[in-house]
Amino acid sequence: MSTQALNITDIHSTNASWCEGSEPLVLGDIFDVGKSVVVWKRPNNTLIQGYFSAAFKALGMGVRGVFSMASLKKELAPLLPDSDGKQAVIDDIFLLSDMLTTLFDCDSVGVRLVPLSAAMCPSFHVDNIPVRLVNTYLGEGTQWLPQEVIVSQASVGVSGSLKKNRLGQYYKESDVHQMRAFDVGLLKGKAWKGHEEFAAVHRSCPVEVDDKRVLLTLDPM
């Protein structure tokens, strides 16, 4: 898979439908009417990575539920297997949930933490929700397409190396962007008021045989 990467100094163009940065404040750019994807690029946490590597099988089907911020840490503790780094995981999920609920002025969060040995959503799609936070703790991150590289069928001349997704859109594989492990992405969905046609087009990354991937998604509730 060939993915496109840009320098931090290049990513805040007013014409771009996305932006990324090394500070969490970049997540606030999701409210920009011209942005469908924002990414906070943060460093790996080896303690958390080690936890998910060791506890991968014990996670079973993972964790799914709606939690109040007031009780999130307490409710997560019995749902996660014991292993070194467990508290760091709980603290990080709380941190990301706190940031999300602060941004969207709510006090509950929908949590989905899943261990994956295959791509969960391998085709490009959009979510039928206002917004979703995605973060990969183990393995490769979510792939997505900037709005400005997507071509409609009507404008296609010579198809050449263009591919067609299930949304009926054309794109070049070289234009696919990919988040890294621990990158925190906010993706607008179709239910974001006024941005129904500007939802983030994304997919799960491929998971090779014997690879492990642990994905966290958070929805403000």
Side-chain angles (χ1 to χ4, degrees):
M1 174 63 63
S2 174
T3 56
Q4 183 171 335
L6 298 179
N7 293 327
I8 295 296
T9 55
D10 296 331
I11 59 181
H12 286 94
S13 168
T14 56
N15 295 322
S17 65
W18 62 283
C19 64
E20 63 183 22
S22 58
E23 298 296 332
L25 287 176
V26 72
L27 296 177
D29 287 359
I30 196 65
F31 293 104
D32 187 323
V33 294
K35 297 290 185 285
S36 62
V37 176
V38 298
V39 180
W40 169 29
K41 301 184 74 65
R42 59 178 186 157
N44 288 6
N45 182 312
T46 55
L47 180 60
I48 291 177
Q49 279 189 323
Y51 170 83
F52 283 116
S53 292
F56 186 83
K57 289 185 177 180
L59 283 169
M61 298 298 292
V63 175
R64 291 173 172 84
V66 176
F67 302 89
S68 165
M69 288 304 300
S71 59
L72 176 61
K73 285 188 175 183
K74 182 178 179 180
E75 291 185 78
L76 280 180
L79 300 177
L80 294 173
D82 291 332
S83 190
D84 289 345
K86 175 178 175 177
Q87 190 58 50
V89 170
I90 293 173
D91 291 344
D92 195 67
I93 294 174
F94 180 86
L95 169 68
L96 298 181
S97 299
D98 187 47
M99 294 170 65
L100 186 68
T101 54
T102 299
L103 273 175
F104 292 96
D105 193 24
C106 58
D107 57 15
S108 296
V109 62
V111 177
R112 180 176 58 176
L113 178 71
V114 287
L116 300 167
S117 54
M120 183 167 59
C121 300
S123 300
F124 278 115
H125 65 283
V126 297
D127 293 328
N128 293 313
I129 56 172
V131 68
R132 173 163 288 159
L133 182 151
V134 297
N135 171 79
T136 301
Y137 282 123
L138 194 65
E140 299 294 332
T142 299
Q143 297 178 343
W144 54 277
L145 288 169
Q147 295 287 332
E148 53 271 21
V149 306
I150 298 171
V151 182
S152 69
Q153 186 172 5
S155 64
V156 174
V158 180
S159 59
S161 61
L162 292 178
K163 293 188 174 183
K164 185 179 181 180
N165 63 29
R166 71 178 189 181
L167 301 172
Q169 302 166 332
Y170 290 83
Y171 66 97
K172 292 180 180 179
E173 198 66 37
S174 59
D175 285 329
V176 176
H177 289 236
Q178 183 163 9
M179 299 179 201
R180 307 172 306 180
F182 285 89
D183 284 353
V184 177
L186 284 180
L187 310 177
K188 280 179 180 170
K190 290 178 67 176
W192 186 289
K193 188 176 180 180
H195 285 188
E196 293 84 357
E197 302 304 318
F198 206 61
V201 178
H202 62 287
R203 69 184 178 191
S204 299
C205 67
V207 181
E208 302 297 333
V209 177
D210 297 328
D211 278 357
K212 299 175 182 177
R213 184 172 185 241
V214 175
L215 174 69
L216 172 72
T217 69
L218 300 175
D219 299 339
M221 308 295 287

